[in-house]
């Protein structure tokens, strides 16, 4: 499912959709411009994505409400370049089978992935200048490296549940992080 290059689209309303067997792409894809007017995601029943989930270049999107039922992404979860995005809260998300990328959001204040227990690949959270809080306190298993870098306002990082990482943990160049 691809929703992209719609300059006036304000809402993605697929309220009955529970499962996507392949990729779900909301926003920029290769040569396109995203959905600059998109303000809300009407995907309230979506619980599983069988491929990757990409939410990119939706400059009017302030949060990910509408994805509150999402439990599993069986591919990569990528959330880059959404200029108005203030909060990423996916309260039921438990598993990302591949990589998790969150980057380049000038307004992002918090990332809360409280049910997340495993990521099969790497986690990269970087270049989010306003980001103050990352809470993935139930993340236990990480199949790759973890890079949290260049988030200048970050003051709270909770990865206390992490007990197995298959590669390196990099936490650097977060100017405000003290503990």
């Amino acid at each position: 499912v691809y929703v992209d290059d719609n300059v006036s689209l304000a809402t993605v309303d697929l309220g009955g959709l529970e499962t996507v067997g392949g990729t779900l792409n909301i926003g920029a894809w290769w040569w396109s411009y995203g959905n600059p007017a998109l303000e809300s995601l009407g995907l309230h029943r979506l619980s599983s994505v069988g491929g990757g989930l990409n939410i990119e270049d939706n400059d009017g999107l302030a949060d990910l409400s509408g994805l509150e039922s999402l439990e599993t992404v069986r591919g990569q979860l990528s959330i880059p370049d959404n200029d108005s995005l203030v909060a990423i809260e996916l309260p039921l998300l438990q598993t990302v089978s591949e990589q998790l990328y969150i980057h380049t959001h000038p307004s992002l204040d918090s990332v809360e992935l409280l049910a997340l227990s495993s990521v099969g690949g790497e986690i990269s959270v970087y270049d989010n200048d306003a980001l103050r809080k990352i809470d993935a306190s139930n993340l236990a298993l990480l199949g790759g490296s973890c890079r949290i870098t260049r988030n200048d306002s970050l003051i709270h990082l909770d990865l206390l549940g992490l007990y197995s990482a298959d590669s390196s943990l990099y936490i650097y160049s977060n100017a405000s992080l003290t503990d």
Side-chain angles (χ1 to χ4, degrees):
V1 176
Y2 289 81
V3 180
D4 185 21
D5 210 8
N6 300 291
V7 296
S8 300
L9 182 68
T11 302
V12 173
D13 191 0
L14 299 170
L17 189 64
E18 295 179 7
T19 302
V20 173
T23 297
L24 175 57
N25 187 76
I26 300 171
W29 187 249
W30 293 35
W31 63 89
S32 66
Y33 299 102
N35 303 299
L38 187 66
E39 295 177 350
S40 66
L41 302 174
L43 298 162
H44 300 285
R45 296 179 66 192
L46 182 67
S47 63
S48 177
V49 177
L53 173 56
N54 182 54
I55 302 169
E56 180 175 0
D57 272 339
N58 302 292
D59 292 338
L61 194 62
D63 60 47
L64 299 183
S65 60
L67 287 174
E68 63 272 359
S69 296
L70 185 64
E71 297 176 8
T72 304
V73 177
R74 290 192 176 87
Q76 170 180 299
L77 175 55
S78 182
I79 308 171
D81 299 311
N82 297 286
D83 288 350
S84 298
L85 193 63
V86 174
I88 295 174
E89 296 176 11
L90 298 170
L92 298 181
L93 181 64
Q94 298 171 21
T95 305
V96 176
S97 296
E98 294 179 14
Q99 298 82 10
L100 172 59
Y101 298 117
I102 298 171
H103 66 84
T104 322
H105 303 286
S107 303
L108 185 63
D109 180 70
S110 66
V111 174
E112 295 188 27
L113 304 170
L114 300 178
L116 186 65
S117 61
S118 69
V119 174
E122 74 173 298
I123 295 175
S124 290
V125 181
Y126 62 90
D127 291 339
N128 301 292
D129 295 337
L131 182 61
R132 296 170 41 83
K133 176 182 179 181
I134 299 173
D135 191 339
S137 55
N138 289 308
L139 178 64
L141 303 171
L142 179 58
S145 61
C146 179
R147 291 178 179 6
I148 299 173
T149 183
R150 298 188 311 264
N151 302 292
D152 291 339
S153 299
L154 186 64
I155 57 173
H156 178 83
L157 174 61
D158 189 342
L159 297 173
L160 290 176
L162 186 62
Y163 68 84
S164 178
D166 286 353
S167 191
S168 302
L169 181 61
Y170 302 96
I171 300 171
Y172 64 92
S173 296
N174 300 292
S176 300
L177 191 61
T178 60
D179 57 349

